[in-house]
Amino acid sequence: MADEIILRNTTMAYVMSCERKFYYAVQRNLTPRKKAEPLDTGLLAHEGLKVFHHPINASKPVNERLRLARASVQALAKETEDEHDTDFDPSMSDNLIIGYASEYAQDPLNFIAVEQPVSYEMAPGIIFRGTIDGVARNSMGKLIMVEHKTIRALNSNTIAYYSRSPQTLGYASLMERVFKEEPDSILFNFLIKQKVPKYRREPAIFHRVYMEQWRRWAELVGKRIQNCISTGVYMENRYSCHPFAGRECPYIPLCWYGESAMTLALFKQGTLGSGSNEVTAAPAA
């Protein structure tokens, strides 16, 4: 369908946090090019892990898999250098991959898929799409969903957050549809960004009811989006414009002052937010 709306995890969160932000990001296709440093580091680390764990490389020695992974990270960093913050250092991602290969040189997991696509129709023409970082079987042949996370510190709150996040539960629900088998568990593969990187794998306890709840919730979100489209009303959430921690919302110029040539220019420059943003914009509806 030409008029399908495709949602990813980030844009799904926009619907729940601020409908107006969802409108500008998805309906108007106004997307800041500059990404925050944690997103850059995570993107490159995921690229390296994808290559390192790819089934096509499974029979290769660890050092060869590491060489291929590092080369892929460096190529992606070069390809996307215009999208990074000026102070971004890709060596952090490279160091994470080097340490990871050493930590898991003898890996008990047998990866059968990397970057596995999943999708779900939340409402007619409204599709959620995601990508599971890895799917593996453990030593007992049980199906495991693996999610890579690059973080600065790890504590019980971090684990609880990821274990119950809509992204995690949604992916587990949709993974079952792809593999025709319920995942035995979810494994968070933490890469901890420190001067000397640390690594930890943490299993998450989950139940089938969580996956069923996610599907019902996703369908309600789909109806909410349908209502926004049919009424043309996208309510802004002013509480999310200036968060207590983190960056200002980049859509402030458009949301607070209306869409015009001037506010679009302010948005592109990142004048009222953080960093310089260049965008591509779809025609106004």
Side-chain angles (χ1 to χ4, degrees):
M1 290 177 58
D3 57 348
E4 278 186 343
I5 295 176
I6 306 299
L7 296 179
R8 300 283 179 175
N9 185 62
T10 299
T11 46
M12 182 88 108
Y14 289 172
V15 180
M16 306 309 297
S17 64
C18 181
E19 293 172 359
R20 178 65 60 173
K21 187 174 184 178
F22 165 79
Y23 168 75
Y24 286 124
V26 178
Q27 298 292 85
R28 293 283 290 107
N29 194 30
L30 293 165
T31 307
R33 286 191 59 186
K34 296 291 183 181
K35 297 187 290 293
E37 183 275 335
L39 296 179
D40 279 318
T41 301
L43 172 70
L44 297 182
H46 275 66
E47 174 66 19
L49 293 171
K50 177 190 74 174
V51 174
F52 186 78
H53 285 303
H54 200 293
I56 200 171
N57 296 324
S59 62
K60 297 174 182 174
V62 170
N63 286 344
E64 175 63 10
R65 290 161 56 202
L66 174 59
R67 184 189 68 79
L68 293 170
R70 293 184 67 194
S72 188
V73 167
Q74 291 162 10
L76 182 60
K78 180 66 175 176
E79 177 185 331
T80 59
E81 62 183 355
D82 290 341
E83 301 176 17
H84 305 313
D85 278 347
T86 54
D87 58 350
F88 174 65
D89 182 4
S91 67
M92 169 64 78
S93 301
D94 189 48
N95 291 336
L96 284 172
I97 297 300
I98 293 171
Y100 183 89
S102 175
E103 181 76 14
Y104 297 109
Q106 302 296 325
D107 198 336
L109 294 179
N110 175 31
F111 280 78
I112 60 175
V114 293
E115 296 202 349
Q116 174 64 49
V118 292
S119 65
Y120 187 70
E121 187 170 40
M122 302 159 55
I126 301 175
I127 314 296
F128 171 77
R129 288 183 182 167
T131 304
I132 299 172
D133 293 333
V135 180
R137 292 197 181 276
N138 62 15
S139 57
M140 295 180 291
K142 299 290 187 179
L143 194 66
I144 310 296
M145 183 180 108
V146 182
E147 282 292 290
H148 307 310
K149 303 295 180 185
T150 56
I151 58 175
R152 293 196 179 279
L154 181 62
N155 54 47
S156 58
N157 289 336
T158 306
I159 296 169
Y161 169 79
Y162 284 124
S163 298
R164 297 293 180 265
S165 77
Q167 175 182 352
T168 301
L169 300 179
Y171 285 4
S173 174
L174 301 179
M175 175 178 159
E176 181 182 20
R177 293 186 167 205
V178 173
F179 289 88
K180 311 301 181 187
E181 179 181 347
E182 182 177 344
D184 181 74
S185 63
I186 300 168
L187 187 70
F188 293 109
N189 191 28
F190 290 110
L191 288 74
I192 306 170
K193 299 179 289 184
Q194 298 180 354
K195 188 173 183 179
V196 178
K198 294 184 178 180
Y199 307 90
R200 179 172 165 185
R201 288 179 172 177
E202 188 72 28
I205 299 173
F206 76 107
H207 304 285
R208 171 173 287 276
V209 66
Y210 297 157
M211 298 189 292
E212 295 170 351
Q213 288 173 348
W214 180 88
R215 288 192 288 266
R216 291 196 295 270
W217 172 78
E219 289 165 5
L220 289 173
V221 176
K223 290 179 180 178
R224 180 171 173 176
I225 295 170
Q226 284 181 317
N227 183 65
C228 288
I229 294 171
S230 64
T231 62
V233 176
Y234 296 82
M235 185 64 184
E236 70 267 21
N237 176 10
R238 293 293 176 100
Y239 286 103
S240 68
C241 297
H242 297 271
F244 182 78
R247 295 188 171 196
E248 299 172 334
C249 176
Y251 300 97
I252 287 175
L254 304 173
C255 185
W256 285 50
Y257 307 110
E259 188 175 333
S260 67
M262 179 174 289
T263 55
L264 277 170
L266 290 171
F267 174 75
K268 294 175 184 179
Q269 296 166 9
T271 304
L272 298 184
S274 299
S276 174
N277 297 321
E278 295 181 17
V279 300
T280 55

